[in-house]
Amino acid sequence: MNRRKWIPWIKTAAAFLIMALHIAPFYILINMSLKSPQERTSRWLPPMEPFFDNYVNAVTVGNLFKAIGNTLFIVVCSVVIIVVTGAMAAYPLARKGTKKNKIILAFIVGVMMVPQLSVLVPLYKELVAMGGINHYWGVVIVSSTFNLPRAIYMYSNFIGTIPRELDEAAMIDGCSRLQVFFRIILPSLKAVTASVIIWTSVGIWNDYQFQLYFLQKPALKTITLAITTFFTDSRTDMGAAAAAAFIVVLPPVIMYIALQKYFVQGAMDSAVK
């Protein structure tokens, strides 16, 4: 009985510990963004006097708003392609359980295991031949391609839980396969679509390696590349870099809070069902 009494307290303490481990980086980031370059106190200590010029430098020197706009354009275009193409590709794979479709789905899962850096050199060579370097569409195609396998896998698992009788009833009423998908299946994918949007958009938002190699013009700089401008051979501005990082981390956090209910439901349904 005594052991059972302690179990809730242990779980509560573990939950607080996990929460503290996740909050600590944000706490340090905010402290660093509000400290002047002359202040050398510990990063765990709050600033003696808030230094808001770091945020001004992050926006002006790093041209942060332009970088946010560039990144947002890449994210939106990529996510639209991933959601539409992934759902449409998953529909026949989930509805027709043929041996060929199972092999295709297994191949898609295998592609998810390929490290991005292992194909960076041939990918760069191919984009040079296509003229995709220093163009948004080159990064959009690459980002969409590397995120599609996970989206297809999640959508196929979720669509497999939707009764086939809905398809048959709609086709009896005169709907084509395409109409069944857009009128019946796609509206039922809100939860898993929220999961796909969050996972893919956050991954592309934080991407560094593809954007570093494929977007070399300063005018095309994204948020990850904009933050690196505060680190040079002659000078490192940690305060401005921390302020820029805090600004660019807000949109994903707000999006997750807004879609949290659908994200949890979609992650559970696509993985368990």
Side-chain angles (χ1 to χ4, degrees):
M1 291 296 293
N2 292 333
R3 183 178 297 179
R4 291 182 179 179
K5 281 184 177 181
W6 281 104
I7 289 178
W9 290 99
I10 294 174
K11 290 181 178 179
T12 303
F16 275 107
L17 178 61
I18 294 172
M19 183 177 65
L21 291 175
H22 283 81
I23 292 177
F26 290 97
Y27 171 76
I28 295 175
L29 182 67
I30 294 173
N31 282 346
M32 292 174 60
S33 68
L34 293 175
K35 289 186 176 182
S36 65
Q38 292 75 29
E39 188 172 343
R40 302 297 181 182
T41 57
S42 172
R43 295 174 182 175
W44 287 95
L45 297 176
M48 293 183 291
E49 185 177 350
F51 187 75
F52 294 101
D53 286 351
N54 287 331
Y55 288 88
V56 177
N57 294 335
V59 173
T60 56
V61 178
N63 202 7
L64 196 60
F65 288 155
K66 173 65 175 176
I68 290 176
N70 295 341
T71 309
L72 189 62
F73 178 79
I74 295 172
V75 169
V76 171
C77 293
S78 301
V79 168
V80 170
I81 294 173
I82 292 167
V83 168
V84 176
T85 307
M88 294 185 70
Y91 179 52
L93 292 175
R95 279 295 184 253
K96 296 182 179 180
T98 61
K99 185 176 180 180
K100 182 174 67 175
N101 282 354
K102 292 181 180 179
I103 294 174
I104 293 173
L105 192 58
F107 176 77
I108 290 173
V109 175
V111 171
M112 294 168 56
M113 310 302 171
V114 178
Q116 296 180 355
L117 285 175
S118 64
V119 295
L120 185 59
V121 174
L123 190 60
Y124 182 84
K125 185 176 181 181
E126 188 66 26
L127 275 183
V128 169
M130 295 171 58
I133 302 297
N134 289 325
H135 291 284
Y136 288 132
W137 63 264
V139 177
V140 169
I141 290 176
V142 172
S143 300
S144 303
T145 302
F146 273 90
N147 285 279
L148 262 177
R150 176 187 287 182
I152 294 174
Y153 179 73
M154 291 180 63
Y155 276 123
S156 62
N157 286 346
F158 194 90
I159 293 174
T161 66
I162 300 176
R164 297 174 182 268
E165 288 77 12
L166 293 177
D167 299 30
E168 297 171 357
M171 294 182 71
I172 291 174
D173 290 338
C175 290
S176 63
R177 275 288 180 187
L178 198 59
Q179 290 174 327
V180 170
F181 173 76
F182 282 104
R183 294 184 179 182
I184 306 298
I185 302 300
L186 194 58
S188 304
L189 302 178
K190 292 180 181 179
V192 68
T193 297
S195 300
V196 171
I197 290 174
I198 291 175
W199 265 324
T200 55
S201 59
V202 171
I204 299 171
W205 185 268
N206 295 328
D207 179 59
Y208 177 75
Q209 57 190 12
F210 287 152
Q211 296 168 8
L212 174 64
Y213 289 102
F214 302 148
L215 298 177
Q216 301 171 2
K217 289 183 178 180
L220 304 177
K221 192 173 294 184
T222 57
I223 55 173
T224 51
L225 302 181
I227 294 176
T228 60
T229 59
F230 300 107
F231 302 94
T232 61
D233 295 335
S234 58
R235 182 171 179 270
T236 298
D237 193 345
M238 292 295 295
F246 179 72
I247 292 173
V248 302
V249 82
L250 290 179
V253 172
I254 294 172
M255 180 184 64
Y256 176 78
I257 293 174
L259 300 177
Q260 182 180 13
K261 179 179 69 173
Y262 299 105
F263 173 73
V264 174
Q265 180 184 349
M268 292 296 295
D269 290 345
S270 59
V272 178
K273 291 184 180 181

